[in-house]
Amino acid sequence: MTAANRQWVLAARPSGPVTREHFEWREELAPSIADGEFLIRNLWLSCDPAQRAWMEVDTYIPKLPLGEVMLSGSAGEVVESKHPDFAPGELVSGVFGWQDYAVSDGAAGIFPVNKVPPGIDLPTALSLLGVTGITAHIGLLEIGQPQSSDTIVVSGAAGSVGSFVVQIAKLKGLRVVAIAGGPAKCDWLTSELGADAAIDYKDEDVEARIGELCPDGVGVFFDNVGGEILDAVLEHIAIGARIVLCGAISGYNDFERRPGIRNHYRLIIRRATMRGFLVFDHMDRVPEAIGDLATWAAEGKLRSQVDVVEGLENAPDALNRLFTGQNLGKQLVKIADASRG
Amino acid sequence: MTAANRQWVLAARPSGPVTREHFEWREELAPSIADGEFLIRNLWLSCDPAQRAWMEVDTYIPKLPLGEVMLSGSAGEVVESKHPDFAPGELVSGVFGWQDYAVSDGAAGIFPVNKVPPGIDLPTALSLLGVTGITAHIGLLEIGQPQSSDTIVVSGAAGSVGSFVVQIAKLKGLRVVAIAGGPAKCDWLTSELGADAAIDYKDEDVEARIGELCPDGVGVFFDNVGGEILDAVLEHIAIGARIVLCGAISGYNDFERRPGIRNHYRLIIRRATMRGFLVFDHMDRVPEAIGDLATWAAEGKLRSQVDVVEGLENAPDALNRLFTGQNLGKQLVKIADASRG
């Protein structure tokens, strides 16, 4: 393998919005593989808010060391293999980083390497049938435990996980109030995804609107945002409410100045629960989730919205779109087409 | 009944520490009773942090209207009755307020009226075998779900609920780190109640000390305080930790300026749960709790520490002791002795 391996390497730790200056563009030769390893040609990158956190602080993984290739969920094609279970031409997803080529031994760690089933395209493997869709399914149904009479509120509702949560909640017959930024996203959420109401947090008083739209209180809050929006919803939680903490994007882009919350005492008054989760702790539920997601999609009941930026060289800008709210649905970076079919 | 009924009536809504100026001292004749009612002579008052919240904001009950008798858990003696189930001379506990005499029809509402069993003195009925002890039992064991390998941290550990939680946790074989204010309380917690370690929040860096004392993380945090102490513990929660929200006293005395928390995102990283509760939702567990508490006390394994202020006229000062940290264990006000026994 003498192909060039282009890479974005972490060069400086950000404390605020990410710019290209936090990375170094490097080109080297694609790596060679040892026995038990295989070489992946990366074709698509997943952009996720957690990636920003990985750059700056220890989370459920240690922060990314300076000088290492930027971490990212991704999908690609096996192009060389000395591993018995992976053959050239197979499509796989995993955490292969912001680069053209990655070596894997197939070992899972916290981020499993999965084969992409035949007939599934890579954007779908990274979104609907990947960590994104599975997180929405398990987070809403397993962690949120919605009851049929619940009103559910979703923040970051026009994002990747949020847009699935809105749709799954509607499939389950729940009343859904979606929070997003800007009229276009709000219109999309109500007219295309079926949300019963949408709140434009950039233009409306979220706390007042939640109060109007949820007169019986919020039974489940699926939160991707944290900060002021979480505080606003806490004011209106129902007795026994479940708050599913999926993310806290309002704090990831400037960790030191992340917003706090002041209304946690409402959990006492309302005898409510706030629970954080990572989908990797719930692998036993993944087959059911994938089954549901694939079935609903095949029946035309579940839409997978992706937002594509072209080119590995634009990965930093693509990640930033999550924090400026430019993405609709799942933000992806397309690096190249697969060599097969 | 021509006795005088002395009362403390809410005269002004506080926004900061309570003073006597927030109340009006009133003396009127003891009320008469109708069919189905009985008259209680109040003998002991329970001082609880929630009372301060009731004065200012809506909680699980609407805030106390101005001009009404201050609400308070209390215990007394039935002195007249036109109710088939309550006879003069019986001792009862309930929410009878800061006054000498109260009328009840025995109906529960959120605050049940309970008969005090024979042989139980009223301080015990208000503390060990009352809402205080039951809250500690159910909060720790039912909401906290401690596992044998957990380290449990308790804030407000020298207070009424906290001091029972420390002891129950030790009875269950858990490692206990207690947080309290001042060396005297800390000494008492370790030498008298058996806590494995105590942290003086007035003199020590709570976050650093939790880190030192809980190298494997905090499995259960029983929180009576909120604010900075909750934030400090969130930094060190174990994966899957349970945070039991019993109270948030750091915010009750100045509601508008209550402290927030900034580390709620740790619930995601640690896949942890924060749950508020009120004991009134868990009445099915009360018999078991009372059985355990009474047994442990009879066996000398559970100490009920009470701190008594004499005189109804001193009730405002007694309530304030909770917020200045003067009380050790359960703060009570003794109004009078029972006429019987």
Side-chain angles (χ1 to χ4, degrees):
Chain A
M1 173 62 63
T2 56
N5 187 20
R6 304 171 302 158
Q7 301 175 320
W8 279 114
V9 169
L10 185 63
R13 238 171 254 299
S15 64
V18 167
T19 68
R20 286 177 179 237
E21 281 62 51
H22 294 105
F23 302 97
E24 180 194 331
W25 179 261
R26 184 190 290 171
E27 298 194 15
E28 53 185 35
L29 285 183
S32 55
I33 54 174
D35 279 348
E37 294 181 337
F38 55 100
L39 185 69
I40 301 131
R41 184 176 174 223
N42 239 349
L43 301 174
W44 291 83
L45 302 177
S46 170
C47 295
D48 300 288
Q51 292 166 9
R52 173 63 186 78
W54 298 343
M55 295 174 69
E56 187 178 356
V57 292
D58 294 332
T59 58
Y60 43 94
I61 55 172
K63 61 188 169 192
L64 182 65
L66 294 175
E68 293 207 1
V69 174
M70 177 63 186
L71 281 177
S72 166
S74 43
E77 177 184 14
V78 177
V79 289
E80 283 183 28
S81 181
K82 295 180 180 176
H83 190 293
D85 300 334
F86 293 87
E90 288 188 310
L91 299 179
V92 290
S93 64
V95 174
F96 307 133
W98 286 6
Q99 56 186 346
D100 286 311
Y101 291 94
V103 173
S104 174
D105 62 2
I110 192 172
F111 301 115
V113 175
N114 289 310
K115 296 195 188 192
V116 177
I120 304 298
D121 61 58
L122 295 186
T124 299
L126 287 178
S127 182
L128 176 73
L129 301 182
V131 171
T132 302
I134 296 166
T135 295
H137 186 285
I138 292 176
L140 176 63
L141 301 179
E142 173 76 3
I143 311 296
Q145 293 285 324
Q147 310 301 305
S148 58
S149 60
D150 281 331
T151 292
I152 168 169
V153 174
V154 185
S155 65
S160 59
V161 172
S163 61
F164 287 128
V165 172
V166 167
Q167 296 177 84
I168 296 169
K170 288 310 301 176
L171 278 162
K172 294 290 182 182
L174 303 166
R175 190 160 165 278
V176 178
V177 174
I179 306 174
K185 287 180 177 177
C186 288
D187 288 349
W188 179 70
L189 284 159
T190 52
S191 61
E192 300 291 325
L193 298 196
D196 296 279
I199 300 172
D200 178 359
Y201 76 84
K202 293 183 174 175
D203 191 49
E204 297 186 274
D205 179 334
V206 175
E207 196 257 296
R209 290 283 288 148
I210 294 281
E212 291 164 14
L213 291 166
C214 308
D216 298 324
V218 177
V220 177
F221 177 39
F222 193 104
D223 188 25
N224 294 300
V225 175
E228 288 180 9
I229 287 179
L230 174 52
D231 255 348
V233 177
L234 279 164
E235 284 285 352
H236 297 285
I237 50 174
I239 290 174
R242 281 81 62 211
I243 297 179
V244 179
L245 295 182
C246 180
I249 194 172
S250 64
Y252 294 166
N253 217 6
D254 193 350
F255 191 78
E256 284 303 313
R257 282 178 289 274
R258 67 189 181 280
I261 59 172
R262 298 185 69 232
N263 289 337
H264 95 282
Y265 77 99
R266 299 281 307 168
L267 296 171
I268 307 175
I269 291 171
R270 292 298 187 170
R271 297 89 104 182
T273 301
M274 188 151 85
R275 181 173 172 196
F277 80 107
L278 293 179
V279 72
F280 310 107
D281 292 328
H282 302 270
M283 298 308 285
D284 58 314
R285 293 292 306 272
V286 168
E288 179 193 341
I290 288 181
D292 281 348
L293 294 162
T295 301
W296 293 329
E299 293 172 351
K301 295 176 181 168
L302 187 57
R303 172 190 301 231
S304 179
Q305 178 74 35
V306 297
D307 199 331
V308 178
V309 165
E310 298 269 347
L312 177 63
E313 63 276 19
N314 295 316
D317 306 323
L319 180 58
N320 257 336
R321 289 169 61 84
L322 303 176
F323 295 93
T324 53
Q326 290 168 275
N327 63 303
L328 188 71
K330 178 74 185 181
Q331 182 66 56
L332 297 173
V333 175
K334 182 178 179 182
I335 302 178
D337 286 312
S339 60
R340 77 166 193 190
Chain B
M1 174 61 62
T2 55
N5 187 19
R6 305 171 302 159
Q7 300 175 320
W8 280 114
V9 169
L10 185 63
R13 238 172 254 298
S15 63
V18 168
T19 69
R20 286 178 179 236
E21 281 61 52
H22 294 106
F23 302 96
E24 180 193 334
W25 179 261
R26 185 190 290 170
E27 298 194 14
E28 53 185 35
L29 285 182
S32 55
I33 54 174
D35 280 348
E37 294 181 338
F38 54 100
L39 185 69
I40 301 132
R41 183 175 175 225
N42 239 350
L43 302 173
W44 290 84
L45 303 178
S46 170
C47 295
D48 300 289
Q51 292 166 9
R52 174 62 186 79
W54 299 343
M55 295 173 70
E56 186 177 356
V57 292
D58 293 333
T59 58
Y60 44 92
I61 55 172
K63 61 187 169 192
L64 181 66
L66 293 175
E68 294 207 0
V69 174
M70 177 62 187
L71 282 177
S72 165
S74 43
E77 177 183 15
V78 177
V79 289
E80 282 184 28
S81 180
K82 295 180 179 175
H83 190 293
D85 300 333
F86 293 87
E90 288 188 311
L91 299 179
V92 291
S93 63
V95 174
F96 308 133
W98 286 6
Q99 57 185 344
D100 286 311
Y101 291 95
V103 173
S104 174
D105 62 3
I110 191 172
F111 301 114
V113 175
N114 288 309
K115 295 195 188 191
V116 177
I120 304 298
D121 60 59
L122 295 186
T124 299
L126 287 178
S127 182
L128 176 73
L129 301 182
V131 171
T132 302
I134 296 166
T135 294
H137 186 285
I138 291 176
L140 176 63
L141 301 179
E142 173 78 3
I143 311 296
Q145 294 285 323
Q147 310 301 306
S148 59
S149 61
D150 281 332
T151 293
I152 168 170
V153 174
V154 184
S155 66
S160 59
V161 173
S163 60
F164 287 128
V165 172
V166 167
Q167 295 177 85
I168 296 169
K170 288 311 301 176
L171 278 162
K172 293 292 182 180
L174 302 166
R175 191 162 163 275
V176 178
V177 174
I179 305 173
K185 287 180 177 176
C186 288
D187 288 348
W188 180 70
L189 285 160
T190 52
S191 61
E192 300 291 324
L193 298 196
D196 296 279
I199 300 172
D200 178 358
Y201 76 86
K202 293 183 174 176
D203 192 47
E204 296 186 272
D205 179 335
V206 175
E207 196 257 298
R209 289 282 288 149
I210 295 281
E212 290 163 13
L213 291 166
C214 308
D216 298 324
V218 177
V220 176
F221 177 39
F222 193 105
D223 188 25
N224 293 300
V225 174
E228 289 179 10
I229 287 178
L230 175 52
D231 256 348
V233 177
L234 279 164
E235 284 286 352
H236 298 285
I237 51 175
I239 289 174
R242 282 81 62 211
I243 297 179
V244 179
L245 295 181
C246 179
I249 194 172
S250 64
Y252 294 166
N253 217 7
D254 193 351
F255 191 78
E256 283 305 312
R257 283 178 288 275
R258 68 190 181 280
I261 59 173
R262 298 184 69 232
N263 289 337
H264 95 284
Y265 78 98
R266 300 279 309 169
L267 297 171
I268 306 175
I269 291 172
R270 292 299 187 168
R271 299 88 105 180
T273 300
M274 188 151 84
R275 181 172 172 196
F277 80 106
L278 292 179
V279 72
F280 309 109
D281 294 329
H282 302 271
M283 298 308 285
D284 58 316
R285 295 291 307 271
V286 168
E288 179 192 342
I290 288 181
D292 282 348
L293 294 163
T295 301
W296 293 329
E299 293 173 351
K301 296 176 181 168
L302 186 58
R303 172 191 300 230
S304 179
Q305 177 75 34
V306 297
D307 199 330
V308 178
V309 165
E310 298 269 347
L312 177 62
E313 64 276 18
N314 295 317
D317 307 322
L319 180 58
N320 259 336
R321 288 171 62 85
L322 303 177
F323 295 92
T324 53
Q326 292 168 274
N327 63 302
L328 188 71
K330 178 74 184 180
Q331 182 66 57
L332 297 173
V333 175
K334 182 178 181 182
I335 302 178
D337 286 311
S339 61
R340 76 167 194 190

